[in-house]
Amino acid sequence: MPERHQIAFYGKGGIDKSTTKIVSGAEAVAMIRSGDTVAFSGFVGIGTPEAVICALEKRFLETGEPSNLTLFFAAAPGDGKDKGLNRLAHDGLVKRLIGGHFKLVPKLAELAVSGKCEAYNLPLGIISHLFREIAVGKPRLISKVGLRTFVDPRIDGGKLNSNTTEDLVELTAIDGEPGLLYKTFPIHVAILRGTTADPSGNVTMEKEALTLDNLTIATAAKNSGGIVIAQVERIGAAGSLNPRDVKIPGHLVDYVVVAEPEHHMQTYATQYNGAFSGELRTPPDRAASMELNERKIIVRRCALELRKGDVVNLGIGMPEGLAAVATEENIINQLTLTTESGTIGGTPQRGLDFGAAINPESIIDQNQMFDFIDGGGLDLACLGFAQVDAQANVNVSRFGDVLAGAGGFINISQNTRLLFFCGTFTKDLRTEIRDGKLVILQEGQAKFIEKVEQITFSGEYARETHQTVLIVTERCVFSLIPEGLELIEVAPGIDIERDILAHMEFRPIIRQPREMAAVIFADGPMNLDQLLLERLLSEGIDFDAERSTRPARYGLDAGNLVTPSFEEKPTMPTSQTPDIQTLTNQINEMLAKFNMPGADPAALVREQARNIEAFAQATQVANKGAYGVVEKQLELFRAASSQLLMMFEDAALAPKERGELAKQAYEVALIGSREITSMAVKASENAFAITRKRMTEIFEQFRKAATIGKDT
């Protein structure tokens, strides 16, 4: 373990921690020594300790110290110009860079590309997890993330210039399959940010838009024998902080710096918004709709693939527009949008607010989000692309002397089951829509080229792992198949030879491409809220043992559980009325597989058919408002019937347990029915009348079920 940092003396004196942890920025950075490895928090401007960074730059410019630092960061703590770590891009100050993203720290990127310092670009999620591995003293992080990309040591090993020679990434084998080992190293100084600190150094983050990796970075530094500097905006009295609010405990913090407001903005675009931090919830976004242009066409096409309940990751840039379309289409609350920074739910933000979300449901640590991502938790990801080649490799990280960095792209793109790359077909093009057809006014530089400059996503690896990948542009859609890229959709008004093949450096597979949905190119909403509901109603009934969360003790097999199947993706619907007979037939087939002592499956089918018919009538009467009624009824039926099915299937249950399950089913019906009634009243009085009549019958049926269960 390296020698622990001791009290250092610069100029006229030093700091005695026995009297206080609250110091000036200048006093705090005086503790940093030449040659130190310094880890920073920050995601764009969120959590970026601007005041301490300013003090560090000032000290170097005035004294030449500290020098030859290694700067270690996950996301890019910068604004794309002069703020954040851009302030530290001085010759002699930086010896080595290890970063996940560089687009918003272009001055550091210039040092890396020019070879003025050693430089590595590792996946953002890997760096986030490296903090954790360093904290627990592990020598390596083992992962498959990065295989076949520029991070793979068989390609570049994450090195960004010829002056970078040390191998931080090694090839290994995991159960006979290739894997990567990422080297850990000590962190001498951690510079972090919170909201409030007390004299003991306990730090809360109640006004921060993200928690990031602050706790793990602080732990890594202390367990490496280093020091922790925390920037905050205010000081609380001793003992005044709620222990549940403390994100960095005082024993991990050496110095606290109170920043001026201009150096402690919540993001680089917003001084403070309580809806970012969860302090308050704002009304639903009523922002103007996106202009109908090539950007909106692309994200609209991606939006057609959404399913109710999908957990989705949106990348930076064009994919951010998917949140705007989801809001415009009234489906934002039917999805869970996430960012790799740690927000779950709400509406992810764009530009210099990126990383934050309006009205998030939860904010978790960044490394925890990458646990979820790397484990395959995402249903869908929408990411950008800059170059695509004949092998379906994608480059978003480096183009000549322009270094953007991979960010979380590699983690997300390698571990998401349904992946969309979205971007314009050529760079800097101009288009317009005339009479529902796409017209190319000016072509740009080719993006579909023979060979990408850097592999950020491996098409070969995706084919081996059987990943579903679509590349969506304003004029066409490609699908990754075992043989390569296939052209599967073409926009109305687009000629394949003139507008597509003439601007590609390779020829894709072409069989029978269909026309992209006309609704994408029309003004006004696409009615995706109705589409999502109809998919929920009409898609096949199937059992997926791997996705089932039903308790194993009930001994269910492939014939015993109903879950929506999302494998087949219907096209845009032509009707807003569910197919009652089809639904009834599906339920009939499902119930026929059960063996329920004391129950009549045929009677259950008839009763459920009456439910569907009643609520279809309510839908027709109340139109759009009653869709919520139908959806809630289905939710009610599934919840209540699951309890009854458990009772019927498990003959080993004691009479008392069977009665309790029946009682629970009745209570579920009662609670759900109240919600349905409220929704129906809002929809229309006629829909309410239909609903009330049917729910009266349901109450009676479940009451009888509960009575039978108790008497058994």
Side-chain angles (χ1 to χ4, degrees):
M1 177 173 289
E3 179 184 354
R4 185 175 294 275
H5 277 62
Q6 302 295 329
I7 293 177
F9 290 88
Y10 294 94
K12 297 181 179 180
I15 302 171
D16 182 358
K17 286 202 301 178
S18 66
T19 60
T20 182
K21 289 187 176 183
I22 304 168
V23 300
S24 69
E27 291 171 323
V29 300
M31 302 299 104
I32 303 174
R33 302 180 297 193
S34 294
D36 276 350
T37 294
V38 186
F40 295 84
S41 68
F43 192 103
V44 192
I46 302 170
T48 299
E50 194 76 20
V52 180
I53 294 172
C54 287
L56 179 57
E57 179 190 32
K58 185 174 186 293
R59 180 188 167 205
F60 176 78
L61 293 178
E62 291 177 352
T63 69
E65 293 288 337
S67 61
N68 296 320
L69 298 181
T70 293
L71 307 186
F72 188 26
F73 53 95
D79 66 342
K81 296 178 182 178
D82 303 310
K83 294 182 178 180
L85 293 187
N86 289 295
R87 299 180 186 274
L88 304 184
H90 297 291
D91 290 344
L93 192 158
V94 179
K95 175 186 177 181
R96 173 180 286 188
L97 297 171
I98 305 173
H101 198 234
F102 285 86
K103 186 174 184 180
L104 295 172
V105 285
K107 292 187 176 182
L108 291 184
E110 185 178 349
L111 290 181
V113 172
S114 66
K116 292 183 178 180
C117 68
E118 300 172 18
Y120 301 83
N121 180 200
L122 304 181
L124 194 159
I126 290 295
I127 292 180
S128 188
H129 284 154
L130 273 174
F131 293 142
R132 194 166 62 190
E133 302 303 277
I134 294 170
V136 299
K138 292 184 179 180
R140 298 288 190 276
L141 166 66
I142 187 167
S143 176
K144 288 190 173 184
V145 172
L147 284 171
R148 311 282 184 86
T149 73
F150 73 92
V151 179
D152 193 314
R154 293 169 292 185
I155 302 179
D156 294 324
K159 300 170 186 174
L160 296 176
N161 59 49
S162 59
N163 294 330
T164 305
T165 57
E166 183 181 355
D167 293 326
L168 295 187
V169 189
E170 303 167 0
L171 188 67
T172 188
I174 305 173
D175 294 330
E177 298 291 331
L180 298 178
L181 292 175
Y182 292 88
K183 183 179 180 181
T184 62
F185 42 84
I187 295 175
H188 304 118
V189 181
I191 303 180
L192 313 173
R193 192 179 106 170
T195 301
T196 308
D198 67 12
S200 298
N202 294 300
V203 177
T204 64
M205 301 183 68
E206 66 271 16
K207 295 179 71 175
E208 305 300 314
L210 300 169
T211 57
L212 299 172
D213 295 312
N214 282 352
L215 177 58
T216 53
I217 296 175
T219 306
K222 294 302 288 185
N223 287 353
S224 297
I227 63 172
V228 176
I229 301 170
Q231 173 183 313
V232 298
E233 66 176 62
R234 60 193 182 189
I235 299 296
S240 65
L241 302 182
N242 185 328
R244 289 187 177 274
D245 293 335
V246 173
K247 300 300 182 184
I248 311 174
H251 75 281
L252 296 179
V253 177
D254 296 280
Y255 307 108
V256 175
V257 176
V258 181
E260 295 297 325
E262 63 268 25
H263 289 149
H264 205 95
M265 295 176 66
Q266 192 178 32
T267 77
Y268 281 135
T270 302
Q271 185 65 45
Y272 181 69
N273 185 338
F276 287 172
S277 60
E279 179 185 7
L280 53 85
R281 294 186 70 82
T282 60
D285 190 0
R286 301 297 183 188
S289 300
M290 289 178 65
E291 177 188 356
L292 185 58
N293 55 22
E294 63 272 7
R295 296 177 68 87
K296 186 171 186 177
I297 290 169
I298 293 168
V299 294
R300 272 185 156 191
R301 173 60 188 86
C302 294
L304 289 183
E305 300 293 329
L306 295 171
R307 294 293 184 277
K308 178 178 172 61
D310 274 352
V311 180
V312 182
N313 176 275
L314 301 181
I316 195 168
M318 187 173 293
E320 300 167 7
L322 187 60
V325 167
T327 300
E328 177 185 334
E329 293 287 340
N330 238 358
I331 62 172
I332 192 73
N333 293 325
Q334 300 184 49
L335 309 169
T336 299
L337 301 183
T338 68
T339 59
E340 60 265 39
S341 57
T343 66
I344 299 174
T347 306
Q349 299 300 287
R350 310 186 209 178
L352 292 179
D353 282 335
F354 183 71
I358 291 284
N359 300 335
E361 297 174 13
S362 177
I363 300 173
I364 63 176
D365 287 356
Q366 187 168 249
N367 57 81
Q368 295 171 333
M369 178 59 78
F370 278 105
D371 289 340
F372 178 74
I373 291 170
D374 290 354
L378 292 171
D379 295 307
L380 182 153
C382 188
L383 307 175
F385 74 87
Q387 295 176 340
V388 179
D389 68 18
Q391 304 304 315
N393 298 317
V394 176
N395 176 22
V396 299
S397 48
R398 185 168 182 175
F399 326 97
D401 291 336
V402 177
L403 173 63
F409 184 96
I410 297 177
N411 297 84
I412 298 164
S413 65
Q414 283 194 343
N415 293 299
T416 304
R417 64 193 77 172
L418 177 57
L419 182 62
F420 289 87
F421 293 118
C422 62
T424 56
F425 188 76
T426 61
K427 183 180 178 181
D428 299 326
L429 81 165
R430 290 192 304 112
T431 66
E432 72 175 18
I433 299 171
R434 299 176 189 163
D435 300 323
K437 296 183 178 181
L438 182 66
V439 178
I440 310 299
L441 301 178
Q442 176 182 306
E443 282 292 1
Q445 181 181 349
K447 296 167 71 172
F448 289 83
I449 59 178
E450 185 62 31
K451 184 177 181 180
V452 296
E453 296 179 64
Q454 189 172 71
I455 300 175
T456 333
F457 172 82
S458 169
E460 180 184 34
Y461 189 67
R463 288 193 291 271
E464 290 179 8
T465 57
H466 308 290
Q467 196 172 12
T468 300
V469 180
L470 294 180
I471 300 175
V472 180
T473 76
E474 78 289 345
R475 70 188 72 178
C476 60
V477 179
F478 298 94
S479 175
L480 180 60
I481 62 174
E483 298 78 18
L485 278 182
E486 180 183 5
L487 177 66
I488 61 170
E489 294 182 23
V490 178
I494 292 298
D495 180 83
I496 292 178
E497 289 290 340
R498 179 194 67 211
D499 299 319
I500 298 177
L501 298 183
H503 306 283
M504 299 180 69
E505 295 182 7
F506 63 91
R507 186 178 181 87
I509 299 166
I510 302 176
R511 289 183 285 200
Q512 294 180 322
R514 58 185 177 273
E515 188 171 271
M516 294 172 69
V519 70
I520 300 172
F521 302 87
D523 282 318
M526 299 190 296
N527 297 321
L528 285 187
D529 53 342
Q530 298 176 12
L531 171 62
L532 261 62
L533 178 58
E534 291 192 6
R535 282 177 173 164
L536 184 66
L537 291 168
S538 63
E539 288 183 331
I541 295 175
D542 193 12
F543 174 76
D544 187 337
E546 293 183 359
R547 295 180 63 182
S548 171
T549 57
R550 189 86 172 268
R553 67 184 180 90
Y554 291 109
L556 301 180
D557 56 26
N560 296 103
L561 184 62
V562 183
T563 58
S565 171
F566 298 133
E567 297 304 315
E568 296 297 325
K569 297 177 167 43
T571 57
M572 181 62 63
T574 57
S575 168
Q576 296 181 0
T577 303
D579 184 343
I580 297 172
Q581 187 58 51
T582 299
L583 289 174
T584 302
N585 291 341
Q586 290 175 345
I587 295 170
N588 194 8
E589 293 174 4
M590 179 273 294
L591 289 175
K593 299 176 183 178
F594 290 116
N595 179 18
M596 303 181 187
D600 181 358
L604 289 177
V605 172
R606 289 193 297 271
E607 291 304 317
Q608 183 59 11
R610 292 177 63 192
N611 289 342
I612 297 171
E613 290 170 0
F615 286 97
Q617 291 176 41
T619 301
Q620 293 165 356
V621 171
N623 195 14
K624 184 176 179 179
Y627 268 89
V629 178
V630 179
E631 186 176 13
K632 195 64 188 181
Q633 161 60 7
L634 288 177
E635 179 184 335
L636 163 64
F637 176 76
R638 288 174 181 141
S641 62
S642 66
Q643 298 287 341
L644 292 176
L645 291 178
M646 290 181 198
M647 180 180 71
F648 289 140
E649 290 172 328
D650 196 341
L653 282 178
K656 182 178 179 181
E657 293 174 317
R658 292 164 64 91
E660 183 61 28
L661 284 173
K663 180 181 176 182
Q664 291 174 13
Y666 173 75
E667 290 172 347
V668 169
L670 179 62
I671 294 170
S673 298
R674 287 171 180 164
E675 295 182 24
I676 288 175
T677 301
S678 175
M679 297 168 69
V681 167
K682 295 177 182 179
S684 78
E685 293 182 359
N686 290 337
F688 169 62
I690 296 169
T691 304
R692 182 177 58 187
K693 180 178 182 296
R694 184 60 192 141
M695 289 315 303
T696 300
E697 298 170 354
I698 292 175
F699 283 151
E700 181 63 18
Q701 291 160 7
F702 280 108
R703 185 190 64 77
K704 291 179 180 179
T707 302
I708 293 171
K710 291 177 181 177
D711 295 338
T712 303

